Every structure is written in structure tokens, then in C-alpha cells.
């Protein structure tokens, strides 16, 4: 069954913000903000939030200079959600989030 994440056009997107939080009950969350094209022909990127809830693992390595250098062309190479894990690949970077729930919200 296809999800909204399967239909997301990851390539040439831009990562805007990454935040990790732990609430008072010890539940971890990751919030990502990114810009994505609707498809290959879209004239502009739209802003989205990816909300990862009840996170059990968060691994991220990013090169700030590479992200900045590739903002025009897009600093996201690809991404996918599979078996409870979100994987995103960047210009010289990687993000992995394992969580119970993932939500994509256009903002």
C-alpha cells in the first residue's frame, strides 16, 4: 500500500530545519521542515513538516556548508519510509529516524 511518503518527490528538495525533543513523559519526537517540488515540472517548492512521533532512534549527520551550497539546486538527494524508519539522503549527509508514527503536513 502506497503512503503519502511514497508519492513525495524527494529529489531536489531542501532541508530547512531539524529538531529533536523529549517531553516530560520521556517520549521523543523529531520534527523536520523541508521544501519539496510537487513533481519534476513544478515551478516552485512547497513547505512541509514531517512529524516523527514516539521516536526510538534518531541518527543524523549533516554538512552545513554542503547544505548551504546546494540550496538552489536542492540539498535532498532522496528519501523513503520503510518498516518504521524514515531515511533521508543529503549532499554529504544522512538522516535516519525510527518511530511509531510519521505524519506529513503541508504548511
Amino acid at each position: 500500500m502506497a503512503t503519502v511518503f511514497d508519492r513525495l518527490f524527494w529529489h531536489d528538495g531542501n532541508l530547512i530545519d531539524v529538531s529533536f525533543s523529549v517531553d516530560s513523559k520521556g517520549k521523543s519526537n523529531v520534527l523536520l521542515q523541508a521544501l519539496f517540488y510537487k513533481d519534476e515540472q513544478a515551478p516552485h517548492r512547497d513547505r512541509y513538516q514531517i512529524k516523527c512521533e514516539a521516536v526510538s532512534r534518531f541518527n543524523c549527520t549533516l554538512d552545513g556548508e554542503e547544505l548551504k551550497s546546494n540550496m538552489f539546486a536542492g540539498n535532498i538527494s532522496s528519501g523513503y519510509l520503510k518498516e518504521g524508519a524514515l531515511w533521508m539522503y543529503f549532499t554529504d549527509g544522512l538522516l535516519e529516524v525510527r518511530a511509531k508514527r510519521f505524519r506529513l503536513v503541508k504548511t
Side-chain angles (χ1 to χ4, degrees):
M1 178 171 65
T3 69
V4 293
F5 291 96
D6 295 326
R7 293 186 295 274
L8 190 61
F9 189 74
W10 296 92
H11 187 68
D12 291 339
N14 275 324
L15 181 67
I16 302 300
D17 187 55
V18 177
S19 65
F20 174 82
S21 63
V22 180
D23 68 16
S24 61
K25 296 179 182 179
K27 292 183 181 177
S28 301
N29 298 294
V30 171
L31 177 63
L32 308 169
Q33 294 189 58
L35 303 173
F36 296 106
Y37 288 114
K38 181 180 177 180
D39 55 40
E40 290 183 57
Q41 305 304 318
H44 65 277
R45 297 176 180 102
D46 296 315
R47 183 181 288 263
Y48 288 85
Q49 288 185 340
I50 299 175
K51 298 179 179 184
C52 312
E53 301 168 345
V55 171
S56 60
R57 178 183 172 96
F58 173 55
N59 184 26
C60 182
T61 181
L62 300 169
D63 184 315
E65 285 299 315
E66 285 296 319
L67 291 175
K68 181 181 173 183
S69 295
N70 287 280
M71 287 293 283
F72 178 75
N75 57 36
I76 299 173
S77 300
S78 66
Y80 60 91
L81 180 64
K82 181 179 178 182
E83 298 174 1
L86 174 67
W87 294 89
M88 292 177 71
Y89 298 90
F90 305 91
T91 51
D92 291 345
L94 165 74
L95 180 140
E96 171 201 8
V97 181
R98 294 189 181 274
K100 289 187 179 179
R101 284 176 303 286
F102 297 89
R103 292 189 295 143
L104 180 67
V105 179
K106 187 174 179 181
T107 59

